[in-house]
Amino acid sequence: MTLINTLSRLLASADISLSDQQKQQLVGYVEMLNKWNKAYNLTSVRDPEQMLTRHILDSIVVNPHLQGERFIDVGTGPGLPGIPLAIVRPDAHFTLLDSLGKRIRFLRQVQHELKLENIEPVQSRVEAFSAEPPFDGVISRAFASLNDMVSWCHHLPAKNGAFYALKGVLPDEEIAALPADYSVDKILRLTVPQLEGERHLVIIKAI
């Protein structure tokens, strides 16, 4: 079964409809990730079919819950969830932030090969990055605890902006430890076809 067929089947079971071009871009990204992974060690997932579930679908199920047009993916690594989200949300702009040069080199190559005009890879530590103008959403996947996320990224969201934390099992202790000037706006349980284990999206806003 080709990657595009596998992806189409996964999307159908998740009730997500994408254009042929978007599917081609998502598969192109997985193929690049697989190729560069051998030298750059970008992800522990070695099998492209597994990447479709554990990286692509796991990222794009968040899309319906994002509000706004300007997002920053902090600690993006090889571009997750930023690249898949940028492909399925072409009218939004994504800044992809990571402190490691090899990851940013990979992301620039992805940007070039897939002709993604709505991403901007940036090499910087999050504390040192100045958000001008600020963002509608600050997204992180497996980046840090919720407390660290709002502490390190407090300067990034706009006044009505939100933090979107992609988590596995619901982090009750992290939620309880949030600083007093932040509150949980929503907790959404996400369903990712063929992925074992729980997935949650925790949306946080400043009070």
Side-chain angles (χ1 to χ4, degrees), residues 3-161:
L3 287 179
I4 203 101
N5 290 350
T6 305
L7 176 62
S8 295
R9 210 178 60 235
L10 287 167
L11 291 169
S13 57
D15 213 14
I16 297 171
S17 66
L18 297 177
S19 70
D20 287 345
Q21 185 196 2
Q22 287 170 315
K23 290 180 193 175
Q24 292 287 359
Q25 285 177 313
L26 289 170
V27 166
Y29 170 58
V30 164
E31 288 170 346
M32 288 185 71
L33 195 51
N34 184 46
K35 187 172 107 182
W36 282 60
N37 207 25
K38 295 175 174 72
Y40 274 48
N41 205 19
L42 298 165
T43 167
S44 59
V45 182
R46 298 287 178 219
D47 174 44
E49 294 231 345
Q50 285 282 313
M51 288 178 188
L52 289 175
T53 303
R54 291 170 60 182
H55 289 336
I56 302 300
L57 236 67
D58 197 39
S59 296
I60 64 177
V61 290
V62 179
N63 181 44
H65 310 293
L66 300 179
Q67 293 188 318
E69 291 173 355
R70 294 186 68 254
F71 300 94
I72 181 166
D73 178 9
V74 291
T76 187
L80 296 163
I83 296 270
L85 285 170
I87 290 170
V88 301
R89 203 181 181 96
D91 52 346
H93 187 274
F94 292 82
T95 297
L96 308 178
L97 195 73
D98 202 276
S99 57
L100 267 189
K102 68 176 185 179
R103 293 176 183 154
I104 296 301
R105 281 195 293 281
F106 169 68
L107 293 173
R108 291 201 175 117
Q109 193 60 33
V110 170
Q111 180 180 26
H112 172 68
E113 286 193 28
L114 300 183
K115 301 182 173 53
L116 292 177
E117 289 172 9
N118 62 332
I119 64 165
E120 183 187 0
V122 177
Q123 185 180 352
S124 170
R125 291 180 60 79
V126 66
E127 308 91 300
F129 181 72
S130 100
E132 283 302 320
F135 295 91
D136 297 321
V138 179
I139 306 170
S140 89
R141 178 183 190 250
F143 166 63
S145 72
L146 296 176
N147 198 347
D148 286 346
M149 184 184 181
V150 297
S151 304
W152 296 342
C153 307
H154 65 89
H155 58 301
L156 300 178
K159 192 166 176 232
N160 296 323

Side-chain angles (χ1 to χ4, degrees), residues 166-180:
L166 284 70
K167 294 284 185 180
V169 176
L170 195 60
D172 292 316
E173 287 178 8
E174 291 182 23
I175 289 169
L178 274 172

